[in-house]
Amino acid sequence: MALGAIGAKVAQFQLGNNHDFLSENPSGSDLYHLPGWQTVGRHERTHVLYVDMCAAGLQDIETGLPIKKPSELWHTNAHFVASLEDMKCSRDHYHAILQGSYQGQNK
């Protein structure tokens, strides 16, 4: 079973037992389009918070420029994400372009 499907099963288990979960993934990825995650997304307790990782200080190791990396936080408990709600790009800087490699590693 693929890792994404396992994560969905864990989230479904948590929901089914009235427990909480938190999942972070880049916006636009295929993860939340998987059937299991679609089920999780339709649950009344599931909420989504959109954040930009540059607001958390994510930077390109080579250039030092901020990396925007829009991300989604799927969660069931507002306390998990309360300190992250304002993590939006301030739009007062340039962003690194993630392509190529640095020291033999893909960016």
Side-chain angles (χ1 to χ4, degrees):
M1 181 181 301
L3 189 56
I6 293 170
K9 288 217 176 275
V10 170
Q12 289 170 3
F13 177 85
Q14 292 294 92
L15 288 165
N17 289 284
N18 204 34
H19 294 298
D20 294 311
F21 77 89
L22 171 69
S23 173
E24 179 273 333
N25 210 54
S27 293
S29 81
D30 291 337
L31 179 71
Y32 297 131
H33 297 285
L34 294 173
W37 279 107
Q38 290 291 298
T39 300
V40 170
R42 287 190 297 272
H43 195 282
E44 63 184 8
R45 291 184 54 224
T46 300
H47 302 278
V48 180
L49 176 66
Y50 297 93
V51 298
D52 296 316
M53 291 301 178
C54 62
L58 184 63
Q59 294 181 338
D60 183 285
I61 194 168
E62 183 179 13
T63 66
L65 288 172
I67 299 171
K68 187 171 183 186
K69 192 184 175 193
S71 299
E72 298 178 27
L73 299 168
W74 286 35
H75 65 93
T76 53
N77 188 324
H79 289 84
F80 289 170
V81 298
S83 64
L84 308 175
E85 290 181 352
D86 294 326
M87 250 179 54
K88 303 287 188 216
C89 181
S90 61
R91 298 180 178 196
D92 63 355
H93 53 263
Y94 292 101
H95 292 109
I97 297 172
L98 295 181
Q99 63 185 27
S101 63
Y102 177 69
Q103 296 184 349
Q105 299 292 321
N106 288 337
K107 288 187 177 184

